[in-house]
Amino acid sequence: MAISVGERVPDFDTIDHNGDRKPFSAYLADGPVVLFFYPKAHTGGCTAEACHFRDLAAEFDEVGAQRIGVSRDDVDNQRSFADKHGFDYPLLSDEDGSIAKVFGAKRVGPMWSKRNTYVIGSDGTLLHEVRSESNMEQHADEALAFLRTHVNAR
């Protein structure tokens, strides 16, 4: 069963686009996390969404939040995607869909995961979620607006 707003996110292992492994909880040590799932690297909508998160780096820094992208692409494809677009945040490889399953973002088929975004407080509590398959800017914009109005996210 997927986690719901108000529940604590269970810890899980991650591997980023550089091949570095660490538990998800290590990211929370630096403040709230905005974890966004995108279906497939190097596709039009996913590139637009990920670039919008990149372009709002200063705004996310102002609220003390980190951005982390997740897809089922392998590490090499994630690295290529990050390098091509100059992403300044980690892209996690979720090849088996286990991370997406925790959040209810896993789906079967060619799109692999739903386009969902989760704001997670530094204590590991899921604070907010954004779901939109077609509005690529909504994810970063809504997560940022939430963080700006909710002091407890810090």
Side-chain angles (χ1 to χ4, degrees), residues 75-136:
V75 170
D76 291 339
N77 204 28
Q78 294 285 52
R79 183 180 311 114
S80 168
F81 190 42
D83 290 348
K84 181 176 182 177
H85 298 286
F87 297 139
D88 60 337
Y89 53 83
L91 299 179
L92 303 181
S93 177
D94 184 26
E95 285 190 78
D96 65 0
S98 60
I99 299 171
K101 186 175 181 182
V102 168
F103 291 91
K106 186 175 180 179
R107 81 168 138 214
V108 181
M111 294 301 281
W112 286 346
S113 63
K114 299 173 185 174
R115 190 180 310 281
N116 294 348
T117 297
Y118 304 90
V119 178
I120 304 157
S122 56
D123 68 350
T125 301
L126 179 59
L127 301 173
H128 185 71
E129 45 188 290
V130 181
R131 297 173 186 264
S132 175
E133 294 291 337
S134 59
N135 186 336
M136 304 313 154

Side-chain angles (χ1 to χ4, degrees), residues 36 44-60 67 81 85 87-89 135-144:
F36 69 97
C46 297
T47 299
E49 178 185 17
C51 286
H52 191 57
F53 271 99
R54 178 201 61 205
D55 295 345
L56 293 174
E59 289 86 345
F60 279 103
R67 300 146 295 141
F81 190 42
H85 298 286
F87 297 139
D88 60 337
Y89 53 83
N135 186 336
M136 304 313 154
E137 293 187 356
Q138 178 181 351
H139 292 266
D141 292 348
E142 189 175 318
L144 188 57

